[in-house]
């Protein structure tokens, strides 16, 4: 029996979100003051990532 393609759904090359270097999720408890600072940022993940990296130098 021959399989009939209905052209709906399925894999498409280059579809979906592009991969980035942020592959981990971290849950932490922080103070209200720290939360206010983080929430004021446009990109919270990038802000925290850069902050952690700057303390390692």
């Amino acid at each position: 029996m021959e399989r009939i393609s209905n052209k709906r759904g399925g894999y498409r090359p280059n579809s979906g979100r592009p991969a980035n270097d942020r592959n981990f999720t971290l849950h932490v408890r922080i103070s209200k003051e720290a939360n206010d600072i983080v929430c004021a940022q446009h990109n919270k993940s990038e802000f925290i990532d850069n902050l952690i990296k700057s303390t390692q130098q």
Side-chain angles (χ1 to χ4, degrees):
M1 182 181 265
E2 186 177 328
R3 185 171 180 209
I4 300 172
S5 175
N6 62 5
K7 299 193 187 250
R8 291 187 180 204
Y11 175 78
R12 295 182 319 274
N14 299 321
S15 64
R17 295 181 94 172
N20 61 23
D21 63 342
R22 294 189 182 110
N23 298 324
F24 301 97
T25 302
L26 176 67
H27 298 271
V28 296
R29 290 185 183 265
I30 58 175
S31 67
K32 183 183 180 327
E33 294 83 14
N35 184 57
D36 293 340
I37 294 168
V38 172
C39 286
Q41 303 303 313
H42 175 68
N43 188 333
K44 297 171 188 67
S45 295
E46 185 175 336
F47 173 73
I48 294 170
D49 193 49
N50 290 337
L51 187 64
I52 293 170
K53 288 177 182 176
S54 70
T55 61
Q56 295 297 314
Q57 295 177 354

